Amino acid sequence: MASRKLKTAVKVNKELMVKAAIKAVKERGLSENAAALEFGVCRMTMRRRKEYPNPEPHGGKTKFPQWAEDILASFLLNCSDMVALLNRYHCVQLFSELATEIGE
């Protein structure tokens, strides 16, 4: 399943540069070192991406079901749109209440 997180412009640019570097190695016959220097990407990242084109996310599985994650994401995005300031306490309280509801 594809990731549902939004990517920053910097991350998208990095991914595009890695893809362009890999394409240059395959099509133009550049060495990995030369392509890494030309496109400003890490040589090992480029090598790993060639071996594993669709890497799996690191870390454990999420603790909340997908519908609960959608509710949390929607709430946090709405708070952000309304410029409602949330601190750590608000977030912990929200997550704890949702976890309690799921556990019942």
Side-chain angles (χ1 to χ4, degrees):
M1 183 162 103
S3 176
R4 300 182 77 171
K5 293 182 180 178
L6 296 176
K7 295 181 182 177
T8 63
V10 172
K11 185 164 180 113
V12 170
N13 184 49
K14 181 182 175 189
E15 290 177 3
L16 291 173
M17 294 305 273
V18 169
K19 287 180 183 179
I22 292 170
K23 187 175 179 180
V25 169
K26 289 180 180 177
E27 293 180 1
R28 294 181 10 206
L30 283 179
S31 69
E32 288 181 353
N33 288 338
L37 285 173
E38 181 178 329
F39 291 93
V41 297
C42 176
R43 180 181 52 84
M44 286 307 295
T45 300
M46 190 174 64
R47 182 178 289 171
R48 285 189 198 106
R49 198 56 49 90
K50 279 175 48 181
E51 292 177 21
Y52 308 104
N54 299 314
E56 292 293 321
H58 298 291
K61 299 288 181 190
T62 58
K63 304 297 182 194
F64 291 118
Q66 189 61 48
W67 63 267
E69 276 192 36
D70 292 340
I71 289 172
L72 290 172
S74 175
F75 174 77
L76 294 172
L77 286 172
N78 286 336
C79 287
S80 174
D81 291 342
M82 294 185 301
V83 192
L85 301 175
L86 297 176
N87 61 24
R88 186 183 317 172
Y89 174 76
H90 293 115
C91 294
V92 168
Q93 185 177 7
L94 173 67
F95 295 156
S96 298
E97 288 176 10
L98 187 58
T100 303
E101 288 179 22
I102 291 172
E104 292 178 352

